[in-house]
Amino acid sequence: MKINTALILCAGLGKRLHPLTLTTPKPLLELDSMTILERCINVIIRSDVQKIFLNTFYLGDQIFEFIKNKKFPIDIQIVEEGKEILNTGGGILNMIENSKENNFIIFNPDTLWNKYYFDEISKMQDFYFSKELDNILFVVNKKLSFDKNLKGDFNLKNNILKKNDNNEFIYIGCQILNRSLFKKYKVHNFSISEIWNELIKMNKLNGFESFNKFYHLTNFETFKKLEDF
C-alpha cells in the first residue's frame, strides 16, 4: 500500500516572519532562489504521490498564481478556507473532505524539505502500513535542530510519542493521518494538536525518527540566519 494524496498547509498568517510576510505569504518566501513551497512539492513528487491538496487563506491569490505559472508535473488542487482561518486541524479536515482517500501525508512547508528526506519518508510510510496505524508523526531530536531555541514537543520511545517536562523530540512538519481520526469533528477552527492529545491519552500517538539536520523557518531572525548559512 502507499499514500496517493498529500496535503500542504499554506493558510497561515506567518506573523513570526514579519516584515517579510506583510506582502508575501510564508510558503512563497525564497531561500537559495527557491520558494519553500516548491521544495516541499518537489519532495512530494519524488514520494510517488498522485495528487496534492493545498489550502490557502492569507494572500492566497499569490499562491494560486505561483502554482498556475510553475506547472508542476502533478495534480495540485487549491482549497480555499473561506472567510475565517481554520487552523491546522480545521484546514486538514477541510481538504480531506475534498477527497475519497483514507490516508493522507500532510506537510508544513515551514521545514526546508530536501532530497535527504526521501528515504526516511518512504520508510515512515512503510512502517505506517506494516503496523496498520492510523497516525504517525515525523520527529527529530532537538540536538539536530538548526534553531537551538526550539523546544521539544514530545518524547519518543518504541515509536510511541508522549509528553513530559523534558521533551527531546521536535515535530518537523510531516505526518500521516487516517480519515477516521476526524469522524467526530466538523470543519471549524481547531488545532491538530487536539487530536494528538487525545491519542497521547490512549498511548496511541505514533512517531518516526528522522536523523537529518532540521532547518525550519521559525521566525524572521532564523530566516536571516538561513539566508547567510
Side-chain angles (χ1 to χ4, degrees):
M1 296 182 71
K2 70 182 189 71
I3 304 289
N4 294 312
T5 300
L7 314 178
I8 309 178
L9 296 167
C10 293
L13 302 177
K15 290 182 178 179
R16 288 176 298 180
L17 283 149
H18 283 181
L20 299 172
T21 49
L22 291 173
T23 55
T24 302
K26 181 169 60 175
L28 297 188
L29 295 178
E30 292 188 4
L31 284 167
D32 293 332
S33 300
M34 183 182 291
T35 67
I36 60 171
L37 177 57
E38 185 170 355
R39 292 171 181 269
C40 183
I41 291 173
N42 287 342
V43 167
I44 292 171
I45 290 171
R46 283 289 300 270
S47 300
D48 200 30
V49 165
Q50 303 300 309
K51 185 178 182 67
I52 295 173
F53 286 95
L54 180 158
N55 68 343
T56 61
F57 179 77
Y58 177 66
L59 301 177
D61 56 332
Q62 293 186 37
I63 295 175
F64 177 85
E65 288 298 318
F66 174 79
I67 296 297
K68 183 177 73 172
N69 294 331
K70 289 297 291 188
K71 296 180 171 61
F72 289 101
I74 189 171
D75 180 12
I76 301 178
Q77 181 176 330
I78 294 176
V79 179
E80 296 181 6
E81 296 217 336
K83 295 181 180 180
E84 296 183 4
I85 197 165
L86 295 173
N87 206 329
T88 50
I92 290 169
L93 179 54
N94 194 40
M95 287 188 280
I96 283 176
E97 290 193 345
N98 286 271
S99 173
K100 294 181 179 179
E101 295 285 340
N102 287 316
N103 298 293
F104 301 86
I105 187 165
I106 304 158
F107 288 86
N108 298 353
D110 312 49
T111 296
L112 298 190
W113 297 105
N114 58 59
K115 62 183 180 181
Y116 302 108
Y117 284 113
F118 296 153
D119 187 52
E120 289 184 337
I121 290 173
S122 177
K123 289 179 179 178
M124 180 173 71
Q125 186 175 166
D126 291 343
F127 184 84
Y128 176 86
F129 285 114
S130 67
K131 301 295 183 181
E132 298 182 342
L133 304 178
D134 61 6
N135 74 87
I136 196 162
L137 277 58
F138 204 21
V139 296
V140 69
N141 192 295
K142 61 185 180 184
K143 293 177 182 178
L144 289 172
S145 176
F146 176 80
D147 181 356
K148 297 304 179 184
N149 293 316
L150 282 179
K151 297 180 180 179
D153 302 302
F154 306 101
N155 275 315
L156 178 68
K157 185 176 182 180
N158 298 325
N159 292 103
I160 296 294
L161 293 170
K162 296 183 179 181
K163 292 183 180 181
N164 58 33
D165 295 332
N166 186 27
N167 297 316
E168 294 293 327
F169 286 83
I170 299 170
Y171 169 63
I172 60 174
C174 177
Q175 59 187 320
I176 301 174
L177 300 178
N178 186 276
R179 175 190 296 275
S180 63
L181 296 172
F182 295 84
K183 60 186 177 183
K184 73 175 187 178
Y185 287 84
K186 294 183 179 180
V187 174
H188 71 284
N189 184 322
F190 73 96
S191 172
I192 192 62
S193 62
E194 288 188 25
I195 292 177
W196 294 351
N197 290 336
E198 289 180 6
L199 290 165
I200 287 173
K201 290 177 182 177
M202 298 183 288
N203 207 36
K204 291 183 178 180
L205 186 65
N206 302 288
F208 193 88
E209 185 174 1
S210 169
F211 295 95
N212 283 301
K213 181 80 173 179
F214 174 50
Y215 300 91
H216 178 267
L217 268 65
T218 315
N219 50 35
F220 178 77
E221 291 73 21
T222 306
F223 182 88
K224 300 308 287 185
K225 289 178 183 177
L226 286 167
E227 275 192 320
D228 299 331
F229 184 66

